[in-house]
Amino acid sequence: QVQLVESGGGLVQTGDSLRLSCVISGRTWTATAMAWFRQAPGKEREFVAAMMLSGSSIFYSNAVKGRFSVSRTSAKTTVNLQMNSLKPEDTATYYCAASVQQYQSANYYYAESTYDYWGQGTQVTVSS
């Protein structure tokens, strides 16, 4: 089992920055990838970014590319999502997720079904 706890959400204004953190605990060595997804009211959950835990591959959705960045601590126990130039359309509940699967194709890591463990979510609200 892997446990994930997100933090760092809040209410900000357009153009502001915010950093979300996801603390990983449990059988962390089984995780192969970490990701961030978000879900706005009335919409389906969507992919934001993913990081392979071996190697340096990171993937972003087109909606956040160039504004958001993913990183992890040297102890590899926390994955951060730095969000810059926030827009009202970034308003959503943000979820951290972990996969214990291994895939050859990077395309799998954009899919919600790839991820086995989820955090409880943290709310981000961007006012105009």
Side-chain angles (χ1 to χ4, degrees):
Q1 291 282 350
V2 173
Q3 291 81 43
L4 306 171
V5 178
E6 305 100 332
S7 63
L11 172 63
V12 297
Q13 295 185 333
T14 298
D16 285 352
S17 298
L18 204 59
R19 188 178 75 170
L20 306 183
S21 295
C22 176
V23 176
I24 312 157
S25 61
R27 297 172 60 88
T28 59
W29 63 91
T30 64
T32 58
M34 300 292 299
W36 289 93
F37 285 76
R38 66 186 182 185
Q39 186 168 23
K43 295 188 177 181
E44 293 186 354
R45 191 152 53 183
E46 66 173 0
F47 172 81
V48 174
M51 166 185 278
M52 302 298 102
L53 297 184
S54 61
S56 58
S57 295
I58 298 177
F59 312 106
Y60 297 98
S61 71
N62 288 334
V64 307
K65 196 175 296 182
R67 299 188 297 122
F68 291 13
S69 62
V70 176
S71 63
R72 61 179 171 173
T73 60
S74 57
K76 301 180 182 179
T77 56
T78 302
V79 175
N80 298 312
L81 180 68
Q82 178 66 41
M83 305 186 296
N84 299 326
S85 301
L86 283 162
K87 306 174 181 180
E89 50 264 44
D90 294 319
T91 294
T93 301
Y94 284 71
Y95 297 91
C96 176
S99 175
V100 299
Q101 312 300 324
Q102 288 277 6
Y103 294 104
Q104 293 288 344
S105 171
N107 289 337
Y108 285 100
Y109 294 99
Y110 291 81
E112 194 175 333
S113 59
T114 291
Y115 297 89
D116 306 285
Y117 301 99
W118 293 83
Q120 81 288 352
T122 185
Q123 178 66 36
V124 172
T125 302
V126 184
S127 65
S128 57

